[in-house]
Amino acid sequence: MKKLLVLSLVLGSLLVACPAAPYIPTITNEVDNSFYVAVNAQRQSAGVTPVNCAAGGPSFPAATFNTASQVLVLDASLQRAAHNHADYMAKNHKAGMPSDPHNGAGDGTVLSRSRAAGFTGNDLGEIMAFDFTQTSAVIPAWIGSTVGHCQVFMDKGFNRFGAAIVTVPDNGKKYWVVSFGKL
């Protein structure tokens, strides 16, 4: 009985002395097939009704897409890149977008994230959004954007993509990331 009491005291003091590791949630990708269908439907819609993209600064002049952009094929490496970035953002930028979410978020650049995920193609692009709850709201926001999202979304050179939607554990807000590329 004495040995059990001493052992209990020793184990109890060890548990008190060792602080618990911080809880870091594993965030799952919430994107589903309907999102992929909606992205390709928007890209194809330019063949019926022109898509006018507002100017998004010097890198993204105003553009009109009046023929269908090619259908994007889901790429596993771009899928990983999108999910890894969305996961990083949800864990580290819980209140919203940092000032440069593509290159200054703390987990590299579009190029480094895509290469780390295994993408070997050329011509990379990335679009993001925060705090949208539905595909039916986020896609029109990207198309109506004045910071170049529309041009990246409609770019006819891209033929591969991956996407992720993750929820911030602390506040329920969502990060949306779409990675585009060309093989």
Side-chain angles (χ1 to χ4, degrees):
M1 183 71 167
K2 256 185 186 177
K3 286 183 182 178
L4 184 58
L5 180 59
V6 170
L7 185 59
S8 295
L9 288 172
V10 170
L11 285 176
S13 64
L14 285 175
L15 290 175
V16 170
C18 299
Y23 173 69
I24 301 175
T26 300
I27 300 176
T28 58
N29 188 354
E30 301 167 27
V31 73
D32 62 21
N33 193 55
S34 66
F35 180 78
Y36 301 120
V37 170
V39 167
N40 275 316
Q42 178 63 53
R43 288 173 57 85
Q44 293 293 291
S45 73
V48 178
T49 305
V51 174
N52 296 308
C53 296
S59 298
F60 299 100
T64 298
F65 293 86
N66 55 15
T67 57
S69 297
Q70 64 180 326
V71 172
L72 297 170
V73 174
L74 185 61
D75 183 277
S77 57
L78 290 175
Q79 182 78 5
R80 275 190 303 279
H83 181 255
N84 291 345
H85 190 46
D87 180 75
Y88 180 87
M89 296 291 284
K91 289 176 181 172
N92 295 285
H93 300 282
K94 297 172 182 175
M97 293 287 190
S99 59
D100 183 2
H102 300 289
N103 299 313
D107 65 336
T109 65
V110 175
L111 176 63
S112 66
R113 287 189 295 274
S114 298
R115 292 292 185 250
F119 188 70
T120 59
N122 301 313
D123 299 336
L124 294 164
E126 179 181 74
I127 58 176
M128 297 175 58
F130 178 71
D131 199 22
F132 285 84
T133 58
Q134 308 238 347
T135 299
S136 60
V138 74
I139 289 178
W142 282 324
I143 297 302
S145 170
T146 59
V147 292
H149 291 120
C150 182
Q151 288 87 334
V152 172
F153 192 102
M154 296 301 297
D155 190 315
K156 294 176 183 178
F158 294 134
N159 60 8
R160 300 282 190 274
F161 79 133
I165 306 164
V166 299
T167 300
V168 176
D170 296 351
N171 61 21
K173 309 252 184 213
K174 294 184 183 296
Y175 270 102
W176 302 65
V177 177
V178 184
S179 298
F180 298 90
K182 179 181 178 182
L183 279 182

